[in-house]
Amino acid sequence: MTTKDKGPSPSRRQFLTGAAAVGAGAMAAGASRAAGPDPLITEVQEWASGMGAGVDATPYGLPIEFEGDVVRRNVEWLTADTISSINFTPIHALDGTITPQGCAFERHHSGAISLRKEDYRLMINGLVDQELVFTYADLERFPRENRVYFCECAANSGMEWAGAQLNGAQFTHGMIHNMEYSGVPLRTLLNEAGVKPEGKWVYVEGADASSNGRSIPLEKALDDVLVAFKANGEALRMEHGYPVRLVVPGWEGNMWVKWLRRIEVTDAAVESREETSKYTDTLADGTSRKWTWEMDAKSVITSPSPQAPITHGPGPLVITGLAWSGRGAITGVDVSVDGGKNWQKARLAAPGQDKALTRFYLDTVWTGEEMFLQSRARDETGYVQPTKNQLREVRGLNSIYHNNGIQTWWVNADGEAENVEIS
Amino acid sequence: MTTKDKGPSPSRRQFLTGAAAVGAGAMAAGASRAAGPDPLITEVQEWASGMGAGVDATPYGLPIEFEGDVVRRNVEWLTADTISSINFTPIHALDGTITPQGCAFERHHSGAISLRKEDYRLMINGLVDQELVFTYADLERFPRENRVYFCECAANSGMEWAGAQLNGAQFTHGMIHNMEYSGVPLRTLLNEAGVKPEGKWVYVEGADASSNGRSIPLEKALDDVLVAFKANGEALRMEHGYPVRLVVPGWEGNMWVKWLRRIEVTDAAVESREETSKYTDTLADGTSRKWTWEMDAKSVITSPSPQAPITHGPGPLVITGLAWSGRGAITGVDVSVDGGKNWQKARLAAPGQDKALTRFYLDTVWTGEEMFLQSRARDETGYVQPTKNQLREVRGLNSIYHNNGIQTWWVNADGEAENVEIS
């Protein structure tokens, strides 16, 4: 038998729950083996004998009705109003690395606005040789780049500073998405305007009522920041900043200003509300961490997890999750099934990519006993994802943002998982 | 001024159509410069002073209403019925490489069926040590891979064998999409069953009425073929084979059986309808090309194109398109603006990836005169995309499939584009 499998792998055949195929000696173990034939195999099904939907049925389609679990969810008690709030990507139900834009999280400060391309204007002003205003059509005439990046809200996992709070990876870690962006490098546009030598920062704001102004150091602005107008091949969704948003790779999601309206070159940071009153964390000594731009390396097991329990018995089990780092590429992920006592190297689905989500897998065998599942990310700078208690030792107990501590799921013998904290 | 631009690039500033920003000496050329201020800049707009949509508005969102052009389209006269037919991806309006699943083309032989995961069964039988049946839940217990691949129907551009027929890249080249698939390698499942030494082929069929059976050589089946259940992070769409489809990288789209039901290991090809009556091309000498599995290297300029005319005047112009090869990675794309007399190397947005779509750009300056736009793909085997006439010399005039000839768009001085054939 010629196969291309490399190395031994335990036969999973005996664990299959499908009815045994008809045939001599076709007996096998397995919990759900019916004594008789499986009608789904032996009888012609309605879908195999009738006509289905035609090619004119859905000019733009939605997921099939059976996937109703795979939606954005919001937590009502989190905020006073849904227009200054956040919802969560259903990461427990996804695989791969691309986040479908239809269920990719949203974070707004004054709701998602409807802004036509014809009405769109982008101003560059301040310490520039020539102040400029671009229409949407103007932006399409500049050289473009395509890059896949994760966008994570700094408040992702924020509730968990207080201990295990929300029961599900969607809620503990779902303020994140990963998309392929097409757009113009910000440096290209800044070079058109000509940055004056005194210019050290840019202040960026959006066209929504909140404007969400943030200061970005010029060095970053001239590095990999994109003025993006496509995500996953098509126009940005309304809720993701249509028609143009800023993409600030690896940095706090709040800086990825939506409905981008103005970029002002300044000689100092503006110290806007979003970088003083918000997006800062107070330490035990009373000082505050500020301008914590880079999202630290982080990971989470998406399955098994509270919303994705194990539905089979002991035997082969796929543990999977996501890892990412705002400082570059993920170089490895370790997984533990015993709450961090012992670690195994997970398999990365592909080599880590700069500031993008990395999918990892651990193909293991479940004994059927309880587990305390954890994952730990490592990035190219040598940074290793810390435990939550290690974080608290450094940050104290007053943090809101940047909780990148190791997540624990307690899985019981029935395969159900619960958010717990043990380290 | 410290910038990271590498090399000279002509200032595009003078071509901007946005109103000049207020400021000393802020005068610039440009067709649309109004004498007075632009109210979109000087007046507070409604979207900047009101609240937008909340985070509970769309648990699963759709594109904004202004993007109504970016939809699948079908051509009614092409087929007798919409259930045995095809529609086309709006590639003229997309960028990047990921195709949004909502507007990714569909091809059905008896319509798209609705099949629940609970009702899903995959049988492996034939020349195997142990015939097996997998439920959907069983498949999730095997080691997975994530891979980005294009899927192209062999009939893509087929109408164009007869000359320039349809006016738009969506119609001439839109039987194609590119997605990130998560699934189990077919070889993993075949190894569970144990392929007998006499086994040389696999016959694959789907659960829809047409079943769409195809024979695949065992070597390919054991190579990179995937049994896939996620595309772009979420479950396959109903119209793309939910819950499980076959992914046959680089090979004819017809082989990517949807609603995958059975895989039979055989010692010879089955010679099904889909590989004899269909998906074969008759040559001038009366013999037929058969089992033309690999999709040849191909490219098309998606913009400018008939559905995506140039809407600005002379000056900076972004020419963009897609290139792909079923034999591996695209290594380069050349673009011509004069119908193939002179060629320039286009810029690849990223290095070509194995059997996936590659995005290319040519950042050029339009003189305002007519152009005959062409692109030519080159892949890692050394293969160079031929002209349509070169193809006809080899294939004759009776082909239906595998038209990978160079596409020409004739662009007039008004920026409008038309499908023409000149080589």
Side-chain angles (χ1 to χ4, degrees):
Chain A
M1 174 178 70
T2 308
T3 65
K4 288 199 180 165
D5 253 1
K6 296 178 171 42
S9 71
S11 171
R12 295 171 181 78
R13 188 190 306 172
Q14 65 200 99
F15 300 103
L16 300 182
T17 53
V22 189
M27 300 292 292
S32 311
R33 298 254 170 224
D38 180 348
L40 282 161
I41 299 171
T42 59
E43 291 174 25
V44 176
Q45 300 298 319
E46 52 171 347
W47 52 79
S49 50
M51 303 294 107
V55 297
D56 57 348
T58 57
Y60 200 100
L62 281 167
I64 200 170
E65 59 185 304
F66 313 128
E67 293 295 312
D69 174 55
V70 191
V71 291
R72 295 188 271 239
R73 292 181 168 86
N74 64 311
V75 175
E76 288 195 9
W77 53 258
L78 259 185
T79 55
D81 200 296
T82 59
I83 61 100
S84 184
S85 191
I86 194 156
N87 56 35
F88 302 86
T89 307
I91 59 173
H92 65 287
L94 303 179
D95 207 331
T97 64
I98 293 292
T99 309
Q101 45 273 40
C103 60
F105 89 101
E106 312 168 53
R107 171 25 169 178
H108 309 305
H109 293 257
S110 52
I113 65 168
S114 179
L115 174 55
R116 293 169 177 270
K117 284 174 174 171
E118 297 77 18
D119 296 334
Y120 178 80
R121 298 290 185 269
L122 173 60
M123 172 181 287
I124 297 186
N125 67 348
L127 296 172
V128 291
D129 298 332
Q130 172 67 56
E131 296 184 337
L132 298 171
V133 173
F134 304 84
T135 61
Y136 179 85
D138 290 334
L139 293 178
E140 288 193 320
R141 301 179 71 178
F142 290 87
R144 288 172 217 162
E145 293 188 8
N146 294 338
R147 298 270 186 264
V148 179
Y149 291 125
F150 77 83
C151 175
E152 182 186 18
C153 179
N156 197 20
S157 318
M159 293 74 67
E160 305 292 303
W161 277 115
Q165 300 286 308
L166 296 166
N167 218 25
Q170 175 168 22
F171 304 110
T172 58
H173 289 74
M175 297 183 194
I176 192 162
H177 58 57
N178 195 57
M179 302 193 197
E180 180 193 47
Y181 294 99
S182 304
V184 180
L186 178 54
R187 71 174 167 279
T188 302
L189 303 180
L190 289 173
N191 285 343
E192 281 296 322
V195 176
K196 291 185 154 116
E198 317 88 87
K200 303 293 182 210
W201 293 78
V202 296
Y203 179 68
V204 297
E205 64 176 29
D208 62 322
S210 84
S211 83
N212 196 62
R214 286 292 300 250
S215 307
I216 303 177
L218 187 67
E219 186 182 47
K220 177 66 172 179
L222 296 174
D223 185 18
D224 53 8
V225 174
L226 289 179
V227 173
F229 37 80
K230 295 267 199 309
N232 290 342
E234 61 181 10
L236 292 162
R237 293 297 173 91
M238 177 176 99
E239 61 269 23
H240 297 136
Y242 180 96
V244 181
R245 83 169 305 162
L246 203 63
V247 169
V248 192
W251 287 25
E252 294 182 324
N254 174 251
M255 307 176 81
W256 293 45
V257 169
K258 300 191 291 291
W259 317 288
L260 183 67
R261 174 173 73 184
R262 191 169 68 91
I263 300 164
E264 178 177 347
V265 180
T266 59
D267 58 3
V270 166
E271 307 272 6
S272 73
R273 167 189 188 268
E274 305 301 339
E275 55 207 9
T276 53
S277 168
K278 301 294 171 186
Y279 299 100
T280 59
D281 292 289
T282 304
L283 303 173
D285 68 2
T287 63
S288 288
R289 299 181 81 228
K290 179 185 170 188
W291 289 332
T292 46
W293 296 311
E294 285 174 325
M295 300 306 296
D296 305 301
K298 190 168 175 180
S299 69
V300 63
I301 289 170
T302 53
S303 179
S305 64
Q307 298 160 284
I310 302 172
T311 54
H312 53 74
L317 169 68
V318 172
I319 297 173
T320 185
L322 294 164
W324 60 96
S325 173
R327 294 195 175 86
I330 289 294
T331 48
V333 178
D334 310 309
V335 171
S336 173
V337 301
D338 59 10
K341 297 194 189 78
N342 295 285
W343 293 95
Q344 309 172 59
K345 273 185 77 168
R347 170 171 62 92
L348 302 188
Q353 299 298 303
D354 184 56
K355 306 184 185 89
L357 287 189
T358 296
R359 168 66 56 181
F360 67 85
Y361 297 107
L362 186 73
D363 304 299
T364 187
V365 177
W366 185 33
T367 58
E369 295 170 350
E370 77 173 2
M371 296 183 286
F372 289 88
L373 298 180
Q374 296 186 339
S375 65
R376 179 177 67 191
R378 290 177 274 110
D379 77 21
E380 64 178 78
T381 69
Y383 181 102
V384 179
Q385 183 179 7
T387 66
K388 290 181 183 174
N389 281 334
Q390 284 172 332
L391 272 179
R392 291 193 188 96
E393 277 167 40
V394 175
R395 307 270 180 84
L397 300 172
N398 278 319
S399 277
I400 298 171
Y401 307 100
H402 293 286
N403 183 354
N404 67 315
I406 288 171
Q407 173 64 38
T408 308
W409 305 123
W410 171 43
V411 180
N412 66 25
D414 293 325
E416 294 157 340
E418 191 177 319
N419 179 11
V420 297
E421 211 181 284
I422 61 173
S423 65
Chain B
M1 173 177 70
T2 310
T3 65
K4 287 197 180 169
D5 254 0
K6 296 175 170 48
S9 74
S11 172
R12 296 171 181 79
R13 188 190 304 174
Q14 64 199 100
F15 300 103
L16 300 181
T17 53
V22 188
M27 301 292 292
S32 312
R33 299 256 169 220
D38 180 348
L40 283 160
I41 301 170
T42 59
E43 291 174 25
V44 176
Q45 300 297 320
E46 51 170 348
W47 51 79
S49 50
M51 302 293 106
V55 296
D56 57 348
T58 56
Y60 200 101
L62 281 167
I64 200 170
E65 59 186 303
F66 314 127
E67 293 294 312
D69 175 53
V70 191
V71 291
R72 295 188 272 238
R73 290 182 169 86
N74 64 309
V75 176
E76 288 194 10
W77 53 257
L78 259 185
T79 55
D81 200 296
T82 59
I83 61 102
S84 183
S85 190
I86 194 156
N87 57 34
F88 302 86
T89 308
I91 59 174
H92 65 289
L94 303 179
D95 207 329
T97 64
I98 293 293
T99 308
Q101 45 272 40
C103 60
F105 89 101
E106 311 169 51
R107 172 22 169 180
H108 309 305
H109 293 257
S110 52
I113 64 168
S114 179
L115 173 56
R116 293 168 178 268
K117 285 174 174 171
E118 296 78 17
D119 295 335
Y120 178 80
R121 297 290 184 270
L122 174 60
M123 171 181 287
I124 296 186
N125 66 348
L127 295 173
V128 291
D129 298 332
Q130 173 66 56
E131 294 184 336
L132 296 172
V133 173
F134 303 84
T135 61
Y136 179 85
D138 290 334
L139 294 178
E140 288 193 320
R141 300 179 71 178
F142 290 87
R144 287 170 217 163
E145 293 189 6
N146 294 337
R147 297 271 186 264
V148 179
Y149 291 124
F150 77 83
C151 174
E152 182 186 18
C153 179
N156 197 20
S157 317
M159 294 73 67
E160 305 291 303
W161 278 115
Q165 300 286 310
L166 296 166
N167 218 24
Q170 175 168 23
F171 304 108
T172 58
H173 289 74
M175 298 183 195
I176 192 163
H177 58 58
N178 195 57
M179 302 195 199
E180 180 193 45
Y181 293 99
S182 303
V184 181
L186 178 54
R187 72 174 167 278
T188 301
L189 303 180
L190 288 173
N191 284 345
E192 282 295 324
V195 177
K196 290 185 161 150
E198 317 87 87
K200 303 293 183 213
W201 293 78
V202 297
Y203 179 70
V204 295
E205 64 176 29
D208 62 322
S210 83
S211 85
N212 195 63
R214 285 294 298 249
S215 307
I216 303 177
L218 186 67
E219 185 182 48
K220 177 67 172 180
L222 295 175
D223 185 17
D224 54 7
V225 174
L226 289 179
V227 173
F229 37 81
K230 294 267 199 307
N232 289 342
E234 61 181 10
L236 291 162
R237 293 298 173 89
M238 177 176 101
E239 61 270 23
H240 297 136
Y242 180 96
V244 181
R245 83 170 305 163
L246 203 64
V247 168
V248 192
W251 287 25
E252 293 182 324
N254 175 252
M255 307 176 81
W256 294 44
V257 169
K258 300 191 293 291
W259 317 288
L260 184 66
R261 175 174 71 185
R262 192 169 67 90
I263 299 164
E264 179 177 346
V265 181
T266 59
D267 59 3
V270 165
E271 308 270 6
S272 73
R273 168 189 187 266
E274 305 301 341
E275 55 206 11
T276 53
S277 168
K278 301 293 170 185
Y279 300 99
T280 58
D281 293 290
T282 304
L283 304 174
D285 67 2
T287 63
S288 288
R289 299 181 82 227
K290 178 186 172 189
W291 288 332
T292 46
W293 295 311
E294 284 175 326
M295 300 307 295
D296 306 301
K298 190 169 174 180
S299 69
V300 63
I301 289 170
T302 52
S303 178
S305 63
Q307 298 160 284
I310 304 173
T311 55
H312 53 74
L317 169 68
V318 171
I319 297 173
T320 185
L322 294 164
W324 61 95
S325 173
R327 294 195 176 87
I330 289 293
T331 47
V333 178
D334 309 309
V335 170
S336 173
V337 302
D338 59 11
K341 297 196 190 76
N342 295 284
W343 292 96
Q344 309 173 58
K345 273 186 77 169
R347 169 171 64 91
L348 302 188
Q353 299 298 302
D354 184 56
K355 306 184 184 89
L357 286 188
T358 297
R359 169 66 57 181
F360 66 86
Y361 297 107
L362 186 73
D363 304 300
T364 187
V365 178
W366 185 34
T367 59
E369 296 171 349
E370 77 173 2
M371 297 183 285
F372 289 89
L373 298 180
Q374 297 185 341
S375 64
R376 178 176 67 190
R378 291 177 273 110
D379 76 21
E380 63 178 80
T381 68
Y383 181 104
V384 179
Q385 183 179 8
T387 67
K388 290 180 183 175
N389 282 333
Q390 285 173 331
L391 272 179
R392 291 191 187 98
E393 279 168 38
V394 175
R395 307 271 181 81
L397 300 173
N398 278 319
S399 277
I400 298 171
Y401 307 101
H402 293 287
N403 183 354
N404 68 316
I406 289 171
Q407 173 64 38
T408 308
W409 305 123
W410 171 43
V411 180
N412 66 25
D414 292 325
E416 295 157 341
E418 192 178 318
N419 180 10
V420 296
E421 212 181 282
I422 61 174
S423 63

